[in-house]
Amino acid sequence: MTNANVRVRFAPSPTGYFHLGSARTALYNWLFAQHTGGSFILRIEDTDRTRHHPEALPDLFDSLRWLGWFWDEGPEVGGSYGPYYQSDRAELYRQYADQLIQAGKAYRCYCTPERLAALREEQRRERQKPGYDRRCRHLTSAQIAQFEAEGLRSVVRLMAPTEGQTSFEDVLRGRIVVENAELDDMVLLKSDGYPTYHLANVIDDHLMEISHILRGEEWLPSVPKHVLLYNALGWPMPAQVHLPTILDPSGKGKLSKRKQKGPGEAERLTFIHEFRQAGYLPEAMTNFLALVGWAYDAETELFTRDELIRYFDLDHVSKSPAAFSYEKLDHMNSVYIRSLGDNDLANRLLQVLRRADLDADYQRVLQFAPLIKERLRILSDAIDLIDFAFVDVHTIDAETLVQKAMGVDGTRQTLTDSAEALQALPSFDEEAIEETLRGLVGASEYKIRDYFGALRMALTGKRVSPPLFETMAVLGRQDTVQRLRRAAQALNEAE
RNA sequence: GCCCCCAUCGUCUAGAGGCCUAGGACACAGCCCUUUCAAGGCUGCGACGGGGAUUCGAAUUCCCCUGGGGGCACCA
């Protein structure tokens, strides 16, 4: 399907950092626009002045660009349907609100927040449906004049029908019908003069000529109210597509926008910048997120960006909520890391290592890249894996250095023998190292596992490391021999 | 409480009446490979929530129940 008239928007409100749930919504909008050749619009719904978070916007823009989901219109890129910040459009919303009042389709309500809270409280106690009781719906002009004279603050409410039904078509879910009695007179304009989501979103979607609304399922219940608004304004409604919720990994409840502890005490990653920081690849994030709520066929899970764009369609978007699996993301990320070229990987690792305060140099990282490539789930795994290569002295605990089967003397002997043999090698390359060391193990009474274990420990200070011979070759003769000798020395001192 | 949405392995899913003794992936278990850890290979475990109805035939259609999720603000 190619339709240049497709215009979709991602419309977050800047109240916090860009998180997984919003990201999936943004992605589907972006993919749908790319797929259809339409436009992807970014609009900032900043009409709640009390919840504005100063870092939200920079975080959002950085994250979207990092992911490569560029917007065709919106902040920092412009467009002919602006402004793209709702706070800059406030006057517009007031005009439409006035227009609705003039037409008798909306009215001013002078009820105080306190009265409304008390009303809700009472309704809750009486087990009644919460909702505005429409007290101000039929004020006389005299009453209105009096309230205005008293300087009472007011909001504008929609005059919703009390009987009949309202229905609409959701692309994924089909026809949805609700009783108008369930709807109440929603606030369109707040007392501070700013619009509510409902008013602003309807007006902007219309004026910006949005063709499809792809948004989270949590908006489904408010669509009937929007239908009323579109009707009151005499506008056609864009196609509605309500995306399934992303659930917490446990499958219990919506994925939180805030920090959440996983099993154990580990804090789960929530914000996109955290995934970036941890070393998830934007390609993998895009691929994985696309699959939370959409599938191409029974088999395929790995998609390039272009394939995603080519294959993505609304027909295969799922209706049921999906739990977010961090394990599967990790797996996919590791697949993407393994597919990276050595230079590419080295460049990405360099940043991660330096951020971890390691004095890493490109050449050495490049040499390690192929050795650790298949051992990384996320880029920051590299820190634990090869930090030893970028520190001069590492203290090795004699306790762990000594192999049980070899004893202190045996371990020390192994280290010095190996150091000597390696020192004497004509050529210090991987093959020569392996041949020599295997020869030494064969001549000794020890098992390969123990023998190499001691060397690994001496060299890296770890039980787990990249392959031994390759690591030695990367470290070089001098460094390797020195590490082995220092370790042997440490055993002397420990005695 | 009321309203809306949803329902296949533990999780993500394929499945649009016979191709299904239900396929793939993650996770998990075992074996192989192996200098550690990974990666890789092989094998295994494992699901159509329940009940009716339609039909020659239902995971696929309809109804009820149950379960899960979401919503009921001068927040978006």
Side-chain angles (χ1 to χ4, degrees):
Chain A
M1 164 160 88
T2 295
N3 184 350
N5 293 325
V6 166
R7 290 175 55 82
V8 293
R9 76 331 189 251
F10 173 55
S13 76
T15 54
Y17 295 115
F18 188 45
H19 61 93
L20 242 23
S22 315
R24 201 279 311 267
T25 299
L27 175 59
Y28 281 22
N29 274 284
W30 179 75
L31 283 174
F32 186 61
Q34 295 288 312
H35 179 79
T36 55
S39 300
F40 175 54
I41 292 122
L42 180 60
R43 184 174 74 216
I44 307 302
E45 311 221 323
D46 55 350
T47 55
D48 185 344
R49 296 176 304 164
T50 61
R51 292 203 308 154
H52 191 272
H53 183 129
E55 288 170 57
L57 255 15
D59 181 66
L60 172 72
F61 300 154
D62 280 356
S63 297
L64 284 173
R65 287 180 173 130
W66 174 66
L67 288 162
W69 309 343
F70 300 102
W71 53 103
D72 301 304
E73 293 173 30
E76 300 187 352
V77 307
S80 42
Y81 292 80
Y84 294 91
Y85 286 90
Q86 290 187 329
S87 55
D88 293 337
R89 303 167 68 82
E91 190 48 42
L92 202 56
Y93 308 123
R94 279 176 220 134
Q95 286 169 18
Y96 282 103
D98 280 343
Q99 180 187 314
L100 286 170
I101 295 174
Q102 300 301 318
K105 292 173 175 172
Y107 61 93
R108 290 199 174 277
C109 165
Y110 298 87
C111 294
T112 63
E114 291 72 28
R115 175 174 123 71
L116 296 175
L119 178 65
R120 267 197 299 278
E121 175 58 26
E122 188 190 323
Q123 287 165 333
R124 199 174 58 78
R125 266 204 320 273
E126 307 277 315
R127 304 193 164 216
Q128 288 173 334
K129 174 182 141 43
Y132 179 54
D133 61 3
R134 298 184 160 115
R135 174 191 271 203
C136 296
R137 181 158 163 151
H138 299 294
L139 294 177
T140 63
S141 43
Q143 285 172 305
I144 293 174
Q146 186 191 337
F147 286 149
E148 290 292 335
E150 287 172 15
L152 289 187
R153 292 166 72 85
S154 66
V155 301
V156 175
R157 288 183 183 272
L158 182 72
M159 205 174 284
T162 54
E163 299 175 338
Q165 297 178 323
T166 296
S167 67
F168 67 98
E169 199 76 29
D170 181 273
V171 173
L172 263 25
R173 297 156 210 276
R175 180 146 293 269
I176 292 170
V177 185
V178 298
E179 297 295 327
N180 287 338
E182 299 297 332
L183 277 19
D184 74 0
D185 291 356
M186 66 174 163
V187 173
L188 302 177
L189 212 58
K190 299 181 263 188
S191 60
D192 64 2
Y194 278 77
T196 58
Y197 169 82
H198 306 293
L199 211 222
N201 127 82
V202 165
I203 290 176
D204 287 347
D205 285 342
H206 178 258
L207 295 181
M208 293 181 181
E209 296 179 28
I210 299 303
S211 62
H212 298 68
I213 296 175
L214 279 69
R215 90 241 286 182
E217 191 185 354
E218 64 271 22
W219 292 108
L220 203 50
S222 55
V223 178
K225 298 180 193 171
H226 298 172
V227 173
L228 261 26
L229 244 182
Y230 278 105
N231 289 160
L233 261 0
W235 294 339
M237 189 167 71
Q240 301 286 321
V241 187
H242 288 87
L243 274 14
T245 314
I246 302 183
L247 267 23
D248 179 87
S250 66
K252 299 271 176 202
K254 200 158 74 153
L255 192 69
S256 177
K257 299 178 190 175
R258 297 170 218 300
K259 302 308 298 176
Q260 207 69 34
K261 301 262 185 180
E265 278 306 279
E267 212 168 52
R268 284 202 195 110
L269 268 36
T270 305
F271 306 123
I272 300 304
H273 69 248
E274 295 176 313
F275 287 90
R276 179 181 187 177
Q277 177 90 14
Y280 287 88
L281 309 188
E283 308 87 304
M285 290 297 292
T286 299
N287 191 153
F288 187 73
L289 239 19
L291 260 17
V292 182
W294 174 83
Y296 173 64
D297 64 10
E299 258 84 85
T300 325
E301 295 200 310
L302 259 22
F303 299 90
T304 63
R305 185 160 300 237
D306 285 346
E307 286 168 338
L308 238 27
I309 290 170
R310 191 159 53 228
Y311 300 147
F312 183 81
D313 65 345
L314 265 22
D315 292 344
H316 290 88
V317 172
S318 155
K319 285 182 293 209
S320 46
F324 188 88
S325 168
Y326 285 84
E327 285 81 17
K328 200 159 177 175
L329 200 218
D330 281 353
H331 172 260
M332 184 169 283
N333 200 61
S334 74
V335 171
Y336 270 87
I337 288 178
R338 272 178 268 146
S339 75
L340 255 27
D342 290 345
N343 283 297
D344 189 354
L345 177 57
N347 274 316
R348 302 196 202 210
L349 287 178
L350 199 57
Q351 297 175 37
V352 171
L353 294 169
R354 288 192 172 154
R355 226 185 297 131
D357 282 332
L358 289 168
D359 187 22
D361 64 283
Y362 181 75
Q363 269 315 311
R364 190 166 262 200
V365 173
L366 179 61
Q367 286 176 290
F368 271 116
L371 304 184
I372 62 174
K373 196 181 278 183
E374 64 197 24
R375 295 172 164 77
L376 302 175
R377 288 158 37 256
I378 53 182
L379 296 177
S380 57
D381 284 342
I383 297 168
D384 258 1
L385 222 41
I386 57 171
D387 58 353
F388 68 85
F390 306 104
V391 289
D392 269 346
V393 189
H394 55 280
T395 51
I396 303 174
D397 177 32
E399 200 79 11
T400 48
L401 176 57
V402 173
Q403 305 296 297
K404 282 202 185 77
M406 296 164 64
V408 175
D409 291 338
T411 301
R412 180 172 43 222
Q413 195 62 45
T414 291
L415 296 174
T416 49
D417 287 354
S418 302
E420 232 165 89
L422 292 172
Q423 182 67 53
L425 268 184
S427 159
F428 198 74
D429 59 64
E430 187 196 316
E431 291 76 20
I433 295 169
E434 173 160 11
E435 195 185 329
T436 303
L437 293 180
R438 284 196 189 278
L440 285 178
V441 184
S444 80
E445 55 191 299
Y446 303 126
K447 288 182 187 164
I448 286 183
R449 186 185 181 83
D450 295 322
Y451 199 104
F452 289 169
L455 296 184
R456 183 186 316 284
M457 202 63 210
L459 216 58
T460 68
K462 300 169 192 296
R463 286 209 169 86
V464 173
S465 81
L468 196 55
F469 318 124
E470 288 91 331
T471 298
M472 289 179 167
V474 173
L475 288 178
R477 187 200 303 269
Q478 195 191 344
D479 198 355
T480 299
V481 170
Q482 190 181 46
R483 286 177 191 232
L484 296 181
R485 286 191 172 140
R486 276 190 190 164
Q489 186 65 32
L491 282 185
N492 285 334
E493 288 158 10
E495 272 183 306

